Amino acid sequence: MTQERISAQIAELHEAYLREGLTRHHSARDFAPYRSSALRHPKQPLVTLDDPEAAELTGPVFGVSDVTALDNDLTRQHVGEPLGERITVTGRVLDRAGRPVRGQLVEVWQANASGRYAHQRDDHPAPLDPNFTGLGRCLTGDEGRYTFTTIKPGAYPWRNHRNAWRPAHIHFSLFGTAFAQRLVTQMYFPNDPLFPFDPIYNAVLDPKARERLIASYDHDLSVPEWSLGYRWDIVLDGPSASLFEQEEDE
């Protein structure tokens, strides 16, 4: 499958969305340009648990004492300095009314500056960085704010089709008051030339919703002689909600 064909499929689906005239942020889970979704998306109804609390008892438990002060600095987790462009990413987790969501566990994972994950299944020929694992977490404060210091990730190939490359991005996971209340999304960087070619980014049909996935460069957040600053707020629900990966169509 060529990039030309994938791009044509993306254009066709976006045009169909516009013709519908309906508010539909997400594409169908079997979004054709995202080829592996045809195999991975759920095809059966969700299973109803007779005892939801029993599921909670078998899942991980996170508390304030499990998150240390250094967990949000991905550049200080090893003996040496990681390679790449150091960045600070910060923002607020908000509800639909703009109120801060406090005590939220926010986790991130990402590729290194060369576009490679520290994972055994990532075997593309880009160098690993022994001083960068690409994992971090923190708890939101009283204003709902999170902050991470990390390295700007590189683009990487992902074999969805011929010459397929993912735009630079950071994965975000947010936990609510229980383990089953988990939301996962991706944060992108402004002006990435790969946006028009990426089926995952373009699976978000609403242009305004896609824009909400892109962080803003904020020079006031940049630390002299240290890091560049990006701001990205996460809205959990409502008309301005951030787009999250979903298991079922709404």
Side-chain angles (χ1 to χ4, degrees):
M1 182 75 73
T2 65
Q3 179 66 61
E4 182 180 14
R5 179 56 185 150
I6 291 292
S7 296
Q9 288 181 335
I10 291 172
E12 291 168 5
L13 290 165
H14 282 199
E15 289 172 4
Y17 161 75
L18 292 174
R19 287 196 300 269
E20 285 180 1
L22 302 173
T23 300
R24 185 182 182 190
H25 292 158
H26 281 282
S27 65
R29 294 302 91 193
D30 56 352
F31 186 66
Y34 185 6
R35 298 177 67 196
S36 61
S37 66
L39 300 175
R40 295 166 56 185
H41 80 285
K43 297 181 176 64
Q44 302 297 327
L46 296 177
V47 175
T48 301
L49 297 175
D50 295 330
D51 185 1
E53 292 185 0
E56 297 292 339
L57 294 175
T58 60
V61 177
F62 299 99
V64 174
S65 62
D66 297 312
V67 181
T68 72
L70 294 179
D71 285 351
N72 70 330
D73 190 339
L74 285 67
T75 70
R76 298 176 61 188
Q77 298 173 346
H78 299 277
V79 175
E81 291 280 349
L83 299 173
E85 178 184 314
R86 187 183 287 106
I87 61 174
T88 299
V89 179
T90 189
R92 301 176 70 200
V93 179
L94 306 168
D95 66 13
R96 66 185 301 144
R99 295 171 297 201
V101 181
R102 305 173 181 88
Q104 181 83 42
L105 177 65
V106 182
E107 297 179 316
V108 295
W109 65 97
Q110 63 169 92
N112 65 20
S114 299
R116 187 168 177 182
Y117 288 94
H119 192 283
Q120 61 183 0
R121 294 188 63 183
D122 189 346
D123 59 359
H124 95 273
L128 288 169
D129 187 341
N131 294 309
F132 189 78
T133 306
L135 304 171
R137 60 184 179 173
C138 71
L139 293 170
T140 57
D142 289 342
E143 296 182 349
R145 187 171 304 282
Y146 71 86
T147 300
F148 291 98
T149 301
T150 185
I151 298 295
K152 186 175 181 181
Y156 59 82
W158 63 300
R159 300 171 184 168
N160 182 72
H161 53 276
R162 186 175 180 274
N163 204 23
W165 292 82
R166 295 279 354 260
H169 61 278
I170 298 176
H171 298 268
F172 274 73
S173 165
L174 295 92
F175 282 98
T177 57
F179 181 68
Q181 298 173 349
R182 188 189 188 198
L183 297 172
V184 177
T185 187
Q186 298 182 23
M187 185 204 86
Y188 297 91
F189 294 86
N191 303 315
D192 196 307
L194 292 173
F195 284 153
F197 309 105
D198 182 49
I200 296 179
Y201 174 75
N202 285 287
V204 180
L205 298 175
D206 187 334
K208 292 182 179 179
R210 285 199 301 274
E211 291 175 5
R212 294 197 293 271
L213 296 176
I214 304 173
S216 299
Y217 173 71
D218 189 332
H219 199 63
D220 291 335
L221 287 175
S222 297
V223 181
E225 312 297 328
W226 182 251
S227 69
L228 296 179
Y230 290 89
R231 186 181 301 277
W232 189 57
D233 290 342
I234 301 171
V235 182
L236 297 182
D237 60 0
S240 299
S242 305
L243 266 290
F244 300 99
E245 300 172 11
Q246 298 182 351
E247 293 186 353
E248 291 289 328
D249 290 328
E250 295 181 341

